[in-house]
Amino acid sequence: MLKVLVAASLLWPALLAAGAGARATGEGSWLGAAVYISAGLVCHQRDDRSFHTHGVKWPVCARCSGLYLAAPLGALVALSGGAGLRRSRDLKALALAALPTAATFVLEHGGFASITSTQRFIAALPLGAAAAWVVIRAARGPDAAIE
């Protein structure tokens, strides 16, 4: 099960890239359509908050891109060793990793700053890695979850 989760964390960003690549080359493939439709289920896909390559909007916004591109790192680190989920410590780490994303949200929606797509992307990287790390550690099961 752990390897399937890690593989999924690697596969999803690859599919996102393949979908954008299919659109950028003008190949209106079923894969590209499926990726954009699937991504639309988990992302608002706003044009003004998304990266563009060769004039083609990525399947997910900049923040989601940061989450998904960092997730494989967190998953691989969690798979490489260590004990299972240690709830209090791991959830604190997850909360700390969420602070940059939360800060961009508060700054922007509070009217304190204008946040760019690049800033959203960078702020989401720690959260993406930490979320995958926690999920993989939790999937190790209750045997390894003893503190």
Side-chain angles (χ1 to χ4, degrees):
M1 177 63 165
L2 292 174
K3 290 181 181 178
V4 170
L5 289 171
V6 173
S9 78
L10 294 164
L11 181 61
W12 182 237
L15 285 171
L16 292 172
R23 286 213 173 161
T25 60
E27 299 173 17
S29 72
W30 65 267
L31 175 63
V35 167
Y36 276 81
I37 290 168
S38 298
L41 297 173
V42 294
C43 178
H44 57 71
Q45 298 179 320
R46 284 180 47 183
D47 192 65
D48 62 323
R49 293 185 180 211
S50 298
F51 292 124
H52 296 76
T53 303
H54 302 295
V56 175
K57 181 175 65 78
W58 288 14
V60 293
C61 71
R63 181 171 287 132
C64 287
S65 295
L67 294 172
Y68 298 136
L69 291 175
L73 175 63
L76 290 169
V77 168
L79 184 65
S80 69
L85 182 69
R86 294 202 167 121
R87 287 180 198 258
S88 62
R89 184 190 71 203
D90 290 352
L91 295 180
K92 285 178 189 173
L94 185 61
L96 284 173
L99 287 177
T101 295
T104 61
F105 184 85
V106 169
L107 288 171
E108 185 167 28
H109 291 280
F112 301 108
S114 178
I115 305 297
T116 67
S117 291
T118 300
Q119 291 168 325
R120 286 185 197 94
F121 172 82
I122 292 168
L125 292 171
L127 181 56
W133 181 68
V134 167
V135 167
I136 298 302
R137 287 172 54 90
R140 288 181 176 267
D143 299 358
I146 299 170
E147 287 193 24

